Amino acid sequence: MNDRNGGSEPAEEHALQDMIAEADTGVRAPGGLPAKVLFGVPLVWSLFQLWYASPLPFMLGFGVLNDTEARAIHLAFSIFLTFAAYPALKRSPRHRVPVQDWAFAFVGAFAAAYLYLFYEALSDRSGAPTKVDLVVAVVGMILLLEATRRALGPPLMAVASVFLVYTFFGPWMPDVIAHKGASLSKAMSHQWLSTEGVFGIALGVSTSFVFLFVLFGALLDKAGAGGYFIRVAFSLLGHMRGGPAKAAVVSSGMTGLISGSSIANVVTTGTFTIPLMKRVGFPAEKAGAVEVASSTNGQLTPPIMGAAAFLMVEYVGVSYVDVIKHAFLPAIISYIALVYIVHLEAAKADMRGLPRRYESTLAGTLLAFVMTVIGLIVLSGAVYYGMGWVKTAFGAASPWIAAVLTVVAYVGLAWYGSRFPAGADPHAEIVELPPPGPTIKSGLHYLLPVVVLVWCLVVERFSPGLSAFWATVFMIFIVVTQRPLTACFRRDRDLGAAVRRGWDELLAGLVGGARNMIGIGVATAAAGIVVGTVTLTGIGLVMTEFVEFISGGNLVLMLVFTAIISLILGMGLPTTANYIVVSTLMAPVIVTLGAQSGLIVPLIAVHLFVFYFGILADDTPPVGLAAFAAAAISGGDPIRTGLQGFTYDIRTAILPFLFIFNTELLMIGITSWYHFLVVVVASVLAMLVFAAATQGFFLVRSRLWESLALVLVAFTLFRPGFWWDMVYPPVEVVPATRIEAIAEGLPADAGLRIDAEGETLDGDRVGKLVVLPLGAGAAGAERLKEAGIEVRTGDGGVFVDNLVFGSPAELAGLDFDWEIKGIHVEVERPPKQLMFAPALVLLGLVVLSQRRRREASASTTAR
């Protein structure tokens, strides 16, 4: 990216590099001792996190830390590096660290580490802080807010500050959100000196899981995997119509999988992809919008999801594998649709791809595709069943055998890749596309650490932290050895230089990974203030009442308002903080109001709903930080870039509404392999049809009735039950007097749907539909008791006679003397997928209509 003619970089290149640095690691680049500190402290932080995640402390019997102590040290590193690496203002010095920033760094680190340094004393006086405790907590809170402003900008700092103000001034708030308030002692004990606020679950996830995944991604990038992914994407897709934009979607998606920030993803991959898109004909705003949409979707795609996947494990109470399973299909069909949108944009403008060095035949392409699929199946089967046999045959020794086999596979792939030319600089200008075969084969060893990570998570079922540890250890081994191995295989005489380069890249990866974590560390801590305020003041109930009031009890309006509020709350927040805020405030709203309206939604669907809309704030004006970053690269208008990006993301915005009502999209309720296949095919087709409808172009430019017909087809394919329920009601309401008989007849671990009505503690008469999980008892009364209730019949109805506190029934919102109005029982009916038939007929009519116009246009042009 240097200016080869003048020998110096132009001003816009300097600005772009500053933006990349600011998004990832901090702007400052001082010399002398400060430079050594900014190198050494992140290095020590990475080594500490590797030590904490490893089994070594338990094996050696020292250095064992509990969760609270580790969180305190983690935040201390993060705050120290924030003040050292991020200047206070734009005009602040970039090449030195002022004295006051050193002071803030050390004081902030001490305040964060206070829980570690005085852990036993604080435990002894829990809830009764001394004056010193309060002073440290107040100073730490102020410095945390300032660190958040420096690293992430004003939005998250402002949100956290508003919640703090709300904590203290509750009695003076409007009646709808008023509360009794909290004293300074109570608030600081809750927020700073306990694990309810700053040092809560969010910071714990950052400490245990997120750091290692970010470090893994940094090492993968230093090893050259980032450039490899980009080259592979362009070699496969760059020749197609609008090829650079399609390749941008794929490459941004692959790098977004391991990135913790859509903004950082934009400024790293966008520097390469956006200029190429402009070169083949995309306007500046559309080129930036494609990059924004693909980078934003990377935060929604498993396995990392911008670290939100690990938070969902804690907040929802499901396994990590379940989170991946539920989030996978919506993310993939959204990406497929984005590639299709790019294709439609290119077709409308009659764009062409980049030239290739050779032309492939259809037969050759199909053969290569089939052989690749067969090879992957054979390889996957050999690995899965081969490793399964090793575990069975060798027992406790199997991990060591697996490690040896993995190293052998790595050496073999490195030797194989060394036979092909090394990839060029991924940011260099591409004038013709590299051949796919050699490009893919040159870096196959980069896939092994990802295989190790997925194997540990999915097959071995290790914790995310331990899985990331072993994958990172293997990645460290690759970074150190790949250059020397390649030099040996290519008979390069300068082996010493290759060895030195490997160690230099390892150190750079360890330091870069830690510096990438600075913003995430302070973000999760600051977001903990919001969580602490909710648990201290009960504002979550207020949000429920507010949304219920403005929606008038209408279920769809409730979801729309929740989506809008999640968009607003997500503006300017990084992914992890974004999810913490929206899930804490808005997820309970959907659960509570949905149940009152008769909609029972799995908790994972609710959390994904608010997460999707929180993430979409990254490209939504007026904030839209990812759109501003893309516009800085493309030279386009940031507001127009954001608006264009949001039009591309409409396909993503409708998905949460669809999987709330049709949880099959989240792989919930799938009963067989062909059921799974039908869901996947119908969902992908529906999303492609919807994308064509929103773009106003299918085979040719669509007429209004055609666009409306395509929307109707897409809706039917996504949610066939909407129409089917009108023909065949899914449930029937039976008298409550049959509750015990119905409970006895349900299968083990099934849910009993009860329509109940009663008075709240405030004297309000409410009704709700609740699902009671039943145990495996034989008698109906016994199974109801396991769910936490006993019923009585009399006074003209069936009533809750006894309620066990803390039971599923009590948690569902039932109370003493509530009347059970009826039992919802599912009825047998024909499959709802029969609605696909009229939808496909309508789609066929649109295709015929557009084909005739296209053929007529082609014949007119030929004359």
Side-chain angles (χ1 to χ4, degrees):
M1 295 179 65
N2 289 339
D3 184 358
R4 292 182 176 87
N5 297 324
S8 62
E9 295 177 324
E12 58 268 21
E13 291 292 335
H14 283 297
L16 189 56
Q17 289 179 357
D18 282 348
M19 182 174 64
I20 293 172
E22 188 170 0
D24 265 349
T25 60
V27 173
R28 280 196 181 121
L33 181 61
K36 294 178 181 177
V37 171
L38 284 177
F39 182 88
V41 173
L43 179 61
V44 173
W45 190 10
S46 288
L47 295 176
F48 162 75
Q49 294 287 165
L50 287 169
W51 172 265
Y52 174 64
S54 75
L56 288 177
F58 302 97
M59 294 168 61
L60 300 177
F62 71 92
V64 178
L65 300 171
N66 63 36
D67 290 345
T68 304
E69 292 172 322
R71 294 173 191 180
I73 296 172
H74 179 84
L75 183 58
F77 274 114
S78 185
I79 290 180
F80 180 90
L81 289 171
T82 301
F83 285 106
Y86 289 86
L89 304 168
K90 288 186 177 180
R91 62 176 181 271
S92 300
R94 298 292 198 269
H95 300 293
R96 64 181 180 86
V97 182
V99 174
Q100 66 270 21
D101 281 356
W102 284 123
F104 291 151
F106 282 106
V107 173
F110 172 78
Y114 191 73
L115 270 72
Y116 167 71
L117 297 172
F118 303 98
Y119 180 77
E120 292 186 6
L122 289 169
S123 300
D124 291 339
R125 57 175 182 266
S126 177
T130 64
K131 288 185 178 179
V132 174
D133 295 340
L134 292 178
V135 169
V136 170
V138 170
V139 171
M141 189 70 76
I142 294 171
L143 290 178
L144 172 61
L145 292 173
E146 169 60 11
T148 304
R149 183 194 68 81
R150 291 193 185 198
L152 304 164
L156 181 55
M157 183 272 291
V159 169
S161 299
V162 166
F163 276 83
L164 274 179
V165 170
Y166 176 73
T167 300
F168 294 114
F169 293 92
W172 296 276
M173 292 290 169
D175 289 342
V176 68
I177 60 171
H179 65 96
K180 64 180 181 180
S183 65
L184 180 66
S185 175
K186 183 177 181 180
M188 289 301 103
S189 292
H190 190 82
Q191 294 281 18
W192 195 270
L193 301 175
S194 74
T195 56
E196 295 294 325
V198 169
F199 296 93
I201 291 176
L203 187 62
V205 171
S206 177
T207 305
S208 303
F209 308 149
V210 179
F211 189 102
L212 288 172
F213 278 91
V214 171
L215 179 60
F216 176 76
L219 290 170
L220 200 60
D221 188 57
K222 287 296 178 185
Y228 170 72
F229 290 152
I230 291 175
R231 292 194 305 275
V232 168
F234 273 82
S235 70
L236 294 173
L237 301 172
H239 66 285
M240 297 179 178
R241 187 189 291 269
K246 294 175 182 175
V249 173
V250 175
S251 59
S252 295
M254 288 191 292
T255 54
L257 295 180
I258 55 176
S259 169
S261 165
S262 55
I263 299 137
N265 199 4
V266 166
V267 298
T268 49
T269 62
T271 54
F272 173 63
T273 58
I274 290 175
L276 273 174
M277 284 188 272
K278 291 176 66 178
R279 214 175 79 205
V280 296
F282 275 84
E285 284 78 13
K286 288 189 176 181
V290 168
E291 178 61 43
V292 168
S294 53
S295 296
T296 301
N297 274 181
Q299 304 302 289
L300 305 172
T301 307
I304 310 300
M305 297 168 64
F310 313 116
L311 290 162
M312 286 184 190
V313 170
E314 301 293 331
Y315 287 174
V316 181
V318 297
S319 71
Y320 178 75
V321 175
D322 285 336
V323 172
I324 293 175
K325 180 183 75 174
H326 297 318
F328 180 76
L329 183 57
I332 292 303
I333 62 176
S334 186
Y335 259 118
I336 292 172
L338 183 56
V339 173
Y340 185 56
I341 286 173
V342 167
H343 173 78
L344 294 176
E345 289 281 14
K348 283 190 281 187
D350 195 25
M351 297 177 191
R352 293 289 180 264
L354 295 174
R356 292 199 294 189
R357 296 178 185 176
Y358 67 95
E359 290 298 325
S360 62
T361 63
L362 178 61
T365 301
L366 290 176
L367 179 62
F369 176 76
V370 170
M371 292 305 295
T372 300
V373 171
I374 293 175
L376 286 174
I377 292 173
V378 171
L379 181 62
S380 301
V383 170
Y384 186 84
Y385 292 106
M387 290 303 299
W389 175 81
V390 168
K391 290 180 67 176
T392 303
F394 297 97
S398 60
W400 298 102
I401 297 172
V404 171
L405 293 176
T406 304
V407 171
V408 170
Y410 160 63
V411 174
L413 289 175
W415 168 79
Y416 186 61
S418 68
R419 299 167 58 193
F420 302 95
D425 177 8
H427 297 287
E429 184 178 11
I430 288 183
V431 293
E432 68 174 2
L433 296 175
T439 303
I440 294 171
K441 294 170 185 175
S442 66
L444 288 174
H445 61 281
Y446 292 129
L447 302 179
L448 276 178
V450 180
V451 171
V452 171
L453 175 62
V454 174
W455 178 272
C456 290
L457 285 168
V458 177
V459 179
E460 298 291 347
R461 296 297 180 104
F462 291 161
S463 70
L466 188 58
S467 300
F469 169 76
W470 288 118
T472 303
V473 168
F474 184 48
M475 195 65 240
I476 289 172
F477 175 71
I478 289 179
V479 172
V480 171
T481 60
Q482 69 164 346
R483 305 293 180 189
L485 277 176
T486 303
C488 289
F489 294 142
R490 290 178 177 166
R491 293 181 171 83
D492 191 337
R493 295 180 180 178
D494 198 356
L495 182 60
V499 173
R500 288 192 298 273
R501 184 178 176 186
W503 283 101
D504 288 344
E505 287 177 343
L506 171 61
L507 292 175
L510 292 172
V511 172
R515 292 191 65 165
N516 288 342
M517 271 299 301
I518 297 172
I520 297 175
V522 295
T524 50
I529 297 174
V530 177
V531 178
T533 301
V534 170
T535 57
L536 187 61
T537 64
I539 190 177
L541 296 175
V542 173
M543 293 300 296
T544 302
E545 294 171 359
F546 174 71
V547 172
E548 184 179 21
F549 172 74
I550 62 176
S551 65
N554 183 281
L555 183 60
V556 175
L557 281 179
M558 179 266 292
L559 291 172
V560 169
F561 284 123
T562 303
I564 293 172
I565 295 172
S566 296
L567 268 175
I568 295 171
L569 289 172
M571 288 182 177
L573 304 189
T575 303
T576 45
N578 189 322
Y579 170 66
I580 296 165
V581 172
V582 297
S583 64
T584 302
L585 290 176
M586 303 312 301
V589 173
I590 298 178
V591 173
T592 302
L593 298 183
Q596 291 178 6
S597 303
L599 177 67
I600 305 299
V601 186
L603 194 55
I604 184 67
V606 173
H607 279 252
L608 285 172
F609 181 95
V610 296
F611 178 56
Y612 263 58
F613 283 101
I615 292 300
L616 286 178
D618 279 348
D619 65 2
T620 307
V623 179
L625 296 183
F628 276 84
I633 301 169
S634 69
D637 179 80
I639 300 298
R640 289 170 60 190
T641 299
L643 289 172
Q644 185 66 57
F646 190 74
T647 61
Y648 291 157
D649 271 339
I650 289 175
R651 77 203 189 287
T652 304
I654 68 160
L655 276 172
F657 289 95
L658 295 168
F659 62 59
I660 282 286
F661 292 102
N662 181 12
T663 54
E664 288 179 351
L665 293 173
L666 302 179
M667 299 290 102
I668 297 174
I670 303 296
T671 57
S672 61
W673 67 268
Y674 53 85
H675 187 187
F676 168 78
L677 188 62
V678 168
V679 169
V680 171
V681 172
S683 301
V684 172
L685 180 59
M687 186 54 79
L688 296 180
V689 170
F690 182 78
T694 56
Q695 293 303 303
F697 193 97
F698 192 21
L699 302 179
V700 293
R701 291 193 180 275
S702 300
R703 292 170 178 165
L704 179 60
W705 75 266
E706 291 172 335
S707 293
L708 293 176
L710 291 175
V711 170
L712 182 60
V713 169
F715 178 77
T716 304
L717 292 175
F718 268 128
R719 198 185 164 201
F722 179 81
W723 310 108
W724 207 235
D725 291 349
M726 296 180 182
V727 181
Y728 296 97
V731 297
E732 64 174 338
V733 181
V734 301
T737 52
R738 295 179 54 194
I739 183 172
E740 293 186 1
I742 293 172
E744 185 172 331
L746 288 174
D749 299 320
L752 180 68
R753 292 176 176 248
I754 296 176
D755 195 2
E757 185 180 290
E759 286 190 1
T760 65
L761 293 176
D762 298 326
D764 299 326
R765 190 80 179 173
V766 298
K768 62 172 61 178
L769 177 67
V770 300
V771 178
L772 292 184
L774 300 177
E782 185 179 324
R783 299 186 75 181
L784 289 174
K785 186 178 293 187
E786 288 187 25
I789 63 168
E790 296 179 22
V791 298
R792 73 172 189 276
T793 303
D795 300 326
V798 178
F799 299 88
V800 176
D801 190 45
N802 188 30
L803 185 74
V804 178
F805 290 103
S807 66
E810 197 261 343
L811 295 174
L814 295 179
D815 209 341
F816 290 97
D817 291 326
W818 275 39
E819 183 179 1
I820 299 175
K821 307 293 290 185
I823 311 299
H824 289 234
V825 179
E826 292 186 4
V827 297
E828 291 189 9
R829 56 180 186 161
K832 62 185 178 182
Q833 285 78 11
L834 292 175
M835 285 304 304
F836 290 167
L840 293 176
V841 170
L842 181 57
L843 178 61
L845 292 175
V846 175
V847 170
L848 286 175
S849 173
Q850 295 212 353
R851 282 187 64 182
R852 287 173 185 162
R853 291 210 309 280
R854 187 174 66 179
E855 291 169 359
S857 176
S859 62
T860 303
T861 304
R863 294 195 194 110

